[in-house]
Amino acid sequence: MDTLLSSLSNANFQWVLVGSLLLGFASGVIGSFVLLKKQSLISDAMAHAALPGVCIMFLIFEVKSIPILLIGAAITSFLATQAIQFIINKSRIKTDAAIGIIISVFFGFGIVLLTYIQQNSTGSQAGLDTFIFGQAASLVKSDVQLIAGGAFLLVLISMLFFKEFKLTLFDPQFAKGIGLPVSFLNGFMLFLVVAIVVIGIQMVGVILIAALLITPPLAARYWTEKLGVMATLAGIFGAISGVLGAVISTTIVGLPTGPVIVLSASFIFFISLLFGKKKGLVIRRVRQV
């Protein structure tokens, strides 16, 4: 308790809390669109593909500058999505198999690069391994401000384009008929997924950022059938998970943030699975009696 109270009085930790809250909320909101569009696995591929981009940029510039590293993550994540589409369009390989191939290639390449960096005398102190599972304690104020600002901007964009995204999700033909640029909106939605993956990997890690995108919306789905309510609930669930993960991983030294955030989100999911107002198993059982 004393450790927690002393952490709460720390200005940098307060920024970490704000950053994890906004990141969790933004992930839940954007994840709602990803879930309904059935692109969950693609977001996982983006996350795993971010690691080699981080490592390549570090090898080029030899400095752990978060903006530079995130640019590298964005580039390789984008390349991964294009590679998946190329494989699907130019071969008979199904989507799930194409995603599996790309995840394996990009993440394996990233691990090789990370191992090289960590064994190199100039890179032994790089701390890039925190990008695998995330570590809130390693973040400084400027890092968290970047995460918080990016997450806030993504939430704002999602709100501004909510009506257009909703139409393209549920009735793309009608959206096209009234003049909406459906292809552009689909691409823009994919850009938002890349953005949330990129800004969240240092806190949650490349392995588990996809879980933060998917688990809160899944939990929210058990409480409502309305997209607006679902996105809001998913954001709240994501924010709670982010804050819990940041608090626990910061107060317990060495504990990675990503797994704790995902475990928190999973706990909320199982509560929703059992007691969700619309589709909860216990609630449905009670109604049948």
Side-chain angles (χ1 to χ4, degrees):
M1 180 61 72
D2 291 337
T3 304
L4 177 60
L5 290 175
S6 61
S7 297
L8 287 172
S9 61
N10 183 280
N12 192 68
F13 180 69
Q14 292 170 3
W15 271 106
V16 170
L17 281 182
V18 172
S20 59
L21 187 149
L22 288 172
L23 175 65
F25 191 87
S27 299
V29 172
I30 295 172
S32 298
F33 301 120
V34 174
L35 179 66
L36 294 175
K37 199 168 178 59
K38 299 179 181 179
Q39 291 184 333
S40 305
L41 286 177
I42 291 181
S43 65
D44 196 25
M46 290 180 189
H48 283 76
L51 183 59
V54 169
C55 295
I56 289 170
M57 295 302 274
F58 180 81
L59 287 171
I60 293 173
F61 294 96
E62 295 187 351
V63 61
K64 191 183 175 185
S65 169
I66 298 303
I68 292 176
L69 298 183
L70 294 188
I71 290 171
I75 292 171
T76 50
S77 294
F78 175 76
L79 289 176
T81 61
Q82 297 305 304
I84 291 169
Q85 293 302 321
F86 179 82
I87 292 173
I88 294 170
N89 295 333
K90 300 296 182 179
S91 70
R92 295 183 179 180
I93 298 174
K94 301 296 183 182
T95 302
D96 56 347
I99 292 172
I101 292 168
I102 294 303
I103 286 178
S104 302
V105 171
F106 275 76
F107 191 64
F109 182 47
I111 291 296
V112 170
L113 291 176
L114 182 63
T115 303
Y116 170 78
I117 290 170
Q118 294 299 91
Q119 291 177 349
N120 188 279
S121 59
T122 60
S124 59
Q125 302 299 319
L128 297 185
D129 55 327
T130 59
F131 280 92
I132 297 180
F133 295 111
Q135 184 58 275
S138 68
L139 299 175
V140 297
K141 183 178 177 180
S142 59
D143 299 341
V144 184
Q145 286 176 333
L146 180 63
I147 294 172
F152 178 78
L153 183 61
L154 291 176
V155 171
L156 186 61
I157 292 173
S158 299
M159 291 172 61
L160 291 174
F161 287 88
F162 180 81
K163 195 178 297 182
E164 289 79 4
F165 286 158
K166 183 177 180 179
L167 278 174
T168 56
L169 276 173
F170 294 112
D171 200 341
Q173 294 302 320
F174 175 74
K176 190 175 293 185
I178 62 174
L180 288 179
V182 175
S183 297
F184 169 78
L185 288 170
N186 287 333
F188 189 52
M189 196 182 300
L190 202 61
F191 164 77
L192 295 182
V193 178
V194 172
I196 197 68
V197 164
V198 168
I199 66 170
I201 55 174
Q202 196 181 13
M203 185 170 287
V204 184
V206 297
I207 294 179
L208 297 171
I209 183 64
L212 186 59
L213 271 166
I214 302 306
T215 310
L218 276 174
R221 195 74 179 87
Y222 283 91
W223 294 94
T224 182
E225 294 180 350
K226 296 180 179 179
L227 177 58
V229 179
M230 174 185 169
T232 303
L233 278 177
I236 293 171
F237 292 158
I240 293 171
S241 304
V243 169
L244 285 175
V247 169
I248 296 172
S249 66
T250 303
T251 52
I252 301 178
V253 178
L255 191 65
T257 310
V260 182
I261 289 178
V262 172
L263 284 175
S264 301
S266 299
F267 176 75
I268 295 173
F269 167 74
F270 283 116
I271 294 296
S272 302
L273 175 67
L274 294 174
F275 303 106
K277 181 180 177 182
K278 285 292 181 181
K279 298 182 179 181
L281 299 180
V282 173
I283 300 300
R284 287 172 60 185
R285 184 67 177 173
V286 169
R287 287 172 180 169
Q288 292 172 359
V289 176

